[in-house]
């Protein structure tokens, strides 16, 4: 998809006289470990950032470069984090929506319209949920890049330092073979989502019975 096509939903919003359109997305929804992280990004009207796309389609190096460009050029950027204990308490769907709401509420510029990746944000603002929004809207794609880079940096930095034996910097908290094996070997940490790893713990308990 060309960069101009990535502005189709934004152009619709501008045509309705919305001037501060926030793209909103989250990462870490399917992880066993760590926060779900959301970002909200408001880009200037008409700005095209070449190469912006769904963060999952980009290399880490490309994401980092685009992250710097987005942070320099955006009118406002904000992040929302929801930790594992809350995810276990309210479920991942509600936690993702909460992280998105926190990100939008933290923006230094109040948005008048939101474009969201396949979700609803619990705020009384005009909004549109777009399926595969991170591949079809520059604003949402920018939010996906900011959220992904932020979470990856936590995995490679602070979270890896806190729990160095789990391979967090390698698997980023996802349910890889290495991660599952380390959970069985070492147990869960306070940053693991217990509601996600019940089957792994059940397997471990069965093993200890023999």
């Amino acid at each position: 998809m060309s960069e101009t096509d990535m502005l189709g939903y934004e152009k619709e919003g501008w045509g309705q006289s919305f001037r501060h359109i926030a793209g909103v997305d989250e990462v870490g929804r399917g992880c066993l470990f760590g926060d779900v992280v959301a970002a909200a990004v408001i880009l200037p009207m008409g700005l095209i950032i070449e190469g912006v796309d769904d963060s999952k389609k980009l290399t880490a190096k490309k994401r980092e470069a685009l992250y710097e460009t987005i942070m320099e050029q955006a009118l406002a950027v904000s992040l929302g984090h929801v930790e594992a204990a809350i995810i276990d308490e309210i479920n991942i769907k509600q936690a993702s929506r909460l992280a998105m709401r926190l990100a939008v509420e933290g923006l230094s510029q109040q948005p008048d319209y939101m474009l969201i990746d396949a979700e609803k944000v619990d705020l009384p603002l005009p909004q549109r949920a777009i399926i595969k929004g991170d591949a079809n809207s520059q604003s949402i794609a920018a939010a996906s890049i900011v959220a992904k880079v932020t979470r990856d940096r936590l995995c490679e930095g602070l979270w890896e330092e806190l729990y160095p034996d789990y391979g967090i910097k390698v698997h980023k908290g996802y349910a890889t073979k290495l991660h599952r094996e380390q959970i069985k070997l070492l147990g869960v940490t306070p940053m693991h989502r217990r509601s996600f790893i019940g089957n792994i713990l059940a397997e471990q308990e069965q093993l200890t019975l023999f």
Side-chain angles (χ1 to χ4, degrees):
M1 184 172 285
S2 72
E3 279 80 10
T4 48
D5 289 337
M6 290 284 279
L7 284 178
Y9 291 104
E10 284 83 349
K11 285 174 181 171
E12 281 183 28
W14 296 330
Q16 296 170 52
S17 299
F18 295 121
R19 291 295 170 262
H20 296 112
I21 298 176
V24 189
D25 199 4
E26 52 70 32
V27 297
R29 196 165 179 144
C31 295
L32 302 180
F33 174 99
D35 302 357
V36 61
V37 177
V41 176
I42 301 177
L43 296 172
M45 276 183 67
L47 174 71
I48 294 173
I49 303 178
E50 191 175 335
V52 164
D53 201 345
D54 173 2
S55 64
K56 296 184 289 294
K57 296 179 182 175
L58 304 169
T59 64
K61 186 177 179 182
K62 184 67 174 172
R63 279 196 300 267
E64 287 280 349
L66 285 167
Y67 172 90
E68 298 302 335
T69 303
I70 293 162
M71 296 303 283
E72 283 168 14
Q73 305 218 24
L75 298 177
V77 177
S78 177
L79 292 155
H81 294 248
V82 175
E83 63 186 26
I86 304 297
I87 294 169
D88 286 340
E89 189 179 317
I90 65 174
N91 78 47
I92 187 59
K93 181 177 177 63
Q94 296 308 318
S96 297
R97 290 172 70 156
L98 174 57
M100 289 177 170
R101 179 166 64 81
L102 292 170
V104 174
E105 287 176 337
L107 286 166
S108 57
Q109 169 70 58
Q110 169 82 8
D112 48 18
Y113 187 52
M114 297 184 291
L115 295 172
I116 308 145
D117 187 34
E119 256 309 348
K120 182 181 189 304
V121 174
D122 301 317
L123 288 170
L125 286 170
Q127 56 188 277
R128 181 167 183 175
I130 301 167
I131 303 298
K132 295 186 178 175
D134 46 9
N136 292 292
S137 157
Q138 179 178 255
S139 301
I140 297 174
S144 82
I145 290 166
V146 171
K148 174 71 173 158
V149 169
T150 299
R151 195 178 189 283
D152 282 358
R153 287 179 178 179
L154 284 166
C155 289
E156 292 160 10
L158 177 62
W159 295 349
E160 173 69 20
E161 289 168 23
L162 285 171
Y163 303 105
D165 300 323
Y166 287 82
I168 305 300
K169 70 178 178 184
V170 178
H171 54 64
K172 307 294 191 292
Y174 286 92
T176 63
K177 185 170 183 284
L178 167 67
H179 194 186
R180 296 196 312 271
E181 286 173 350
Q182 294 309 97
I183 291 170
K184 288 177 185 176
L185 185 67
L186 303 168
V188 295
T189 72
M191 287 189 67
H192 276 101
R193 304 174 188 177
R194 290 174 178 270
S195 56
F196 279 47
I197 55 181
N199 292 339
I200 294 170
L201 294 177
E203 283 176 30
Q204 184 182 29
E205 284 173 17
Q206 279 190 322
L207 290 172
T208 58
L209 292 175
F210 292 104

